Each structure stands twice: as C-alpha cells, then as structure tokens.
Amino acid sequence: MPESSHPAPGPRRRLRAQPALWTALLAAAVRSAAVADGLANNPLVQLPDLDADIYLRWAKEIAAGDVLGRGGSVDGAPFLFNPLYAYLLAPLAAVFGDAMLVPGLCLNVAFGVAATWFSARAAERWAGPVAGWIAGVAVACSAVLVHLDAHLAVSELAAMLVAGSCWSMSPGPDGRAERGHGPVATGLWLGIGAIARPVTQLVLPFAAWLAARRAEPGRKLRAAGVVVAVFFATAVPTFTRNLVVAGEPVLWTAAGGINLHLGNNPDGWKYRGMLSSHFRFAPETMHGDAMLFVRQATGKWPTSTEVGKYFTDLAVRQALADPVPAAMHLVGKARWFFGPVEIPSSSSLPQDQSFQPWLRLAFVPTWVVAALAGGAAFLLRRRTDLLLGAGALVLAHLAVLTLIFPLSHYRSPAVPAMAVLGAAGVAAAVSAWRGRRERAPAVTL
C-alpha cells in the first residue's frame, strides 16, 4: 500500500464525525419529551392562551378560506403579528381542525431539529467538528428554546431561520460559498426571517458585504446586489397584501412604534420593565388601547401605521427630554441581554418547570451561550467572515432588544447564531491549547 494512502474510515467513525446528525436526533428526543410532558401535566400548554390562542384562531381562519385576512381576527388591517407562522399552521388546521394543538407542537419540534442541524453544520463549516458538536448540543439542549417549543410560539421558527441564515453564510473548504450557500440562499433565508421577526434586515448590509468578499473579481457588486434583491423579493407577497387589502405600505407589522414605546418610556425606566400607562400590555388589547389613545390625542381615527409613528415619536421625545434615565435603561437592557434571567411575557420558564420536570433535560442556559459568543467575538476578531455572518446576526438581536426589551421569546431566536459564534471561539481556544502542548519540549525523567 502506498505511504500516502489511508484506509477508509469505518461506519462507526463516519457516524461519530457527523455532529449535525447526532445533535439533531438529541434535539428531537429532548423536545419530544418536553412537549409530551407539557401536554400531560401543564394546563398552560393544554389550554393555549395569549399568543398561542391568536395563532390558533388565525390559522383556522386561513384554513376556512380567509387567506388574505379580510375578516376574522385580522379584519382587513395590516398584519400586526408575524404572518409566516400562522400560514404554516393553516394546513394543520385544515386537516386536524380543533385538534391541531398536538400537530402544531410537533411542527415546533421539527423546527427545533432543523435549527440544531443548521447550527451544527454552520459551526462545523466555519470551525471544524468540535465547533459542530458544541453548537449542536447548545441548540439541542437550549433551555429557552425547548421551553418555548411546548407552546404555540413563533420563537423556534425564528430560531430555525436564524440557524439557516448562519448555514447559508458559512464557507466551503476553500473559504468560498458553495451551492446552497451563495448570495441567493443568503438573501432567501434572511428575507423569510424578516417576515418572522423584524431583526434580520439589520444583517442585510453585512451579508451583502460577506457575499462581495467571497465573489470573484468583477462580480463582487453583483453578488451583493443578489443578496439584497432576493431579500426584498421575499417581502413582496406580504407587502402587496397589506397595500391592497389594508391600504398601508408596511411589511408585517405596524406595531414597531408601540413596542419601542413599551421598552422606552418613564414607566419602564422607573420599574425596569416593558410597560406603559397608556395601554395594557397584552397581545391584542394593547393595539386597540393604543389606537384609542392616539384617537383621543389627535382627534381622528388613525391608521395602524399612524399609531406606530405616534408612539415612535413619543418614545424619542421622552428620551430627549430626560436623556440620563433613558440612556441608563438602554445600558440595563444591553446587560440583561447577556444576563441569567429568562424574562417572561406569555410564558415563564420557572413556572412551566414546576409542571414539567422533563424541561430540565434542556440544561444549556442562554446566558452561557451569550457569554461564549461575546468572548468569541473578541478572540476571533480577525475572522471577518465569521463576524459578518453569525456575528452580525448576534449583533442585530442585541441592537433590537436593547431598543425594545430582551424578553425570553424575543432573545431566544438569537441562540443558534450565538451558539455558532461561541462554538467557533471554543474550538479555536482548544486548538490553540493543543498546539501549545505539542510545541512544548518533552521532559525526560
């Protein structure tokens, strides 16, 4: 046998070298156990309310034929809530009707499995198998993602889209994009992600920059333009629906100003929470209250866009009038993004753990993943490709949640990007440590 040839790896070795496969199976097992435990023991899972109830009703209305939301709970208004999740649930509503809760939770499990696979593969492509295992386990056993999977919440869908975005931007063996990982794929993943959460648009310039870096000379501008064009193309259906049906040129929500006000006003500064004296903080109630408040303040019935603009202007005016507490509140929210507490809104992790002991199988807290990501951003500060990919996704979530509020279900979609970035940092540290050991002189006793 020539010296340069090596025997092919055996089946067991090939399986061990597939972190994405094994961690995806782990994600399926952990999430299935948590969902089954919730359906059996947690009344908050058995009787969905708040966001879960909204999506159940909306999906049933779509399945019943109100595809454009001209009536029902949407009632011809612009989409105030992420429409993607409702339309993905609609086929289940058409098949299972009132019994769609279990199939809906199974769909969440599928999103979690996919998020784990994409995260592990992205980390492996950026930093090797060790990083793939670390990122895969971090997402598979993420305490917050597994917790929210037991509720009909958009969090895991958003996390999967973040993970897919990381995967689409990850490099091939030669550092360039491969099929399925180029500008078209990146624009598509980020564009669909923007429909699920208004965060990924902040990643767009970084993704375009990354595509340009990897493109051949003479094609750099074209590559960046493809990312941008595909990103905006994904918004066409939702934008067109809102313009034609509701008469408002918005994407999927006119509630951005309301959320900005909720996260930045004197009541929030005082009580360090997401609240306002102008309306009740509930998924649907706050929009009706906010519209009535603007009606009283302006003397006319506002559109949803005008309500959002009113509260955006109010938040800015209040911050400029009292800049010190406003700035300190922003600093606090940035710190809470990396903090150990999962700030609840529609569901509470400690409360659900009292009903569902199997939730403790998910042992990876978000703050650990966030801390690893922060350390990796410094350690790998020269890895421009990684920082423009996974790093930009983490930065976008940090920026948005500093402006709004790092609630548990707002922060959780960042977990895959933080896991990929943090895993790359750990892998680099392990590699450096091994290198130092190999270079150390042998000691003869």
Side-chain angles (χ1 to χ4, degrees):
M1 178 182 295
E3 290 183 1
S4 60
S5 63
H6 299 280
R12 291 184 179 180
R13 184 177 179 83
R14 287 198 298 269
L15 287 175
R16 288 198 299 270
Q18 298 184 47
L21 170 65
W22 290 109
T23 55
L25 291 175
L26 175 63
V30 172
R31 282 161 172 75
S32 296
V35 167
D37 196 15
L39 288 169
N41 301 308
N42 191 343
L44 301 176
V45 173
Q46 298 162 358
L47 300 171
D49 63 352
L50 299 175
D51 288 8
D53 179 57
I54 291 170
Y55 281 113
L56 281 171
R57 286 189 281 114
W58 192 359
K60 291 175 183 176
E61 291 163 3
I62 295 169
D66 188 14
V67 177
L68 295 179
R70 295 182 182 277
S73 55
V74 181
D75 197 24
F79 292 142
L80 284 172
F81 301 98
N82 148 46
L84 182 60
Y85 192 47
Y87 282 88
L88 290 174
L89 288 173
L92 300 179
V95 174
F96 297 99
D98 291 336
M100 66 169 293
L101 175 60
V102 174
L105 295 177
C106 290
L107 182 63
N108 277 4
V109 171
F111 291 148
V113 172
T116 301
W117 191 92
F118 283 126
S119 300
R121 282 295 292 135
E124 186 178 11
R125 288 167 62 87
W126 255 308
V130 171
W133 280 105
I134 294 170
V137 171
V139 177
C141 297
S142 165
V144 64
L145 287 177
V146 173
H147 165 229
L148 292 171
D149 271 350
H151 299 269
L152 284 180
V154 71
S155 305
E156 191 73 88
L157 169 61
M160 184 197 73
L161 294 170
V162 167
S165 298
C166 282
W167 173 78
S168 73
M169 290 187 281
S170 61
D174 63 351
R176 295 182 179 272
E178 296 179 328
R179 185 175 181 179
H181 299 268
V184 173
T186 298
L188 191 62
W189 279 104
L190 291 175
I192 297 174
I195 301 174
R197 282 286 188 219
V199 173
T200 57
Q201 55 264 48
L202 297 183
V203 185
L204 185 59
F206 300 102
W209 181 4
L210 179 59
R213 279 173 52 89
R214 290 176 175 165
E216 296 177 359
R219 296 188 175 183
K220 294 183 179 296
L221 186 60
R222 176 186 175 185
V226 168
V227 174
V228 175
V230 173
F231 176 90
F232 283 107
T234 60
V236 169
T238 301
F239 185 88
T240 302
R241 180 268 166 201
N242 285 336
L243 183 61
V244 172
V245 175
E248 296 191 46
V250 295
L251 182 55
W252 67 265
T253 180
I258 294 178
N259 284 335
L260 182 66
H261 167 74
L262 277 169
N264 300 275
N265 67 79
D267 294 321
W269 307 338
K270 180 179 179 180
Y271 297 105
R272 304 173 73 194
M274 195 175 187
L275 73 163
S276 170
S277 59
H278 297 325
F279 47 79
R280 294 165 289 177
F281 184 27
E284 290 177 302
T285 306
M286 67 180 186
H287 301 295
D289 288 355
M291 185 165 286
L292 287 173
F293 182 87
V294 177
R295 165 72 175 84
Q296 294 172 349
T298 63
K300 69 181 185 68
W301 283 108
T303 65
S304 299
T305 303
E306 289 169 342
V307 172
K309 184 179 184 304
Y310 180 92
F311 281 104
T312 296
D313 294 343
L314 179 61
V316 172
R317 289 199 307 271
Q318 290 174 330
L320 293 176
D322 210 350
V324 174
M328 293 304 296
H329 192 53
L330 291 175
V331 171
K333 287 185 290 183
R335 180 171 57 85
W336 298 335
F337 181 87
F338 295 96
V341 177
E342 292 293 353
I343 305 172
S345 58
S346 56
S347 57
S348 166
L349 177 58
Q351 182 182 39
D352 281 350
Q353 283 178 335
S354 68
F355 293 109
Q356 300 169 248
W358 286 102
L359 280 177
R360 290 180 172 83
L361 287 173
F363 61 91
V364 181
T366 305
W367 72 268
V368 170
V369 185
L372 290 175
F378 175 78
L379 179 65
L380 302 176
R381 58 191 179 276
R382 298 184 186 277
R383 285 287 306 274
T384 307
D385 64 327
L386 180 63
L387 296 181
L388 289 176
L393 283 160
V394 175
L395 182 63
H397 282 83
L398 173 60
V400 170
L401 300 192
T402 297
L403 283 175
I404 300 175
F405 211 86
L407 298 179
S408 175
H409 68 286
Y410 289 170
R411 181 172 69 159
S412 60
V415 167
M418 292 192 293
V420 171
L421 183 58
V426 173
V430 169
S431 178
W433 177 73
R434 286 176 175 173
R436 284 195 297 271
R437 287 195 62 185
E438 292 173 357
R439 290 192 298 269
V443 178
T444 302
L445 297 178

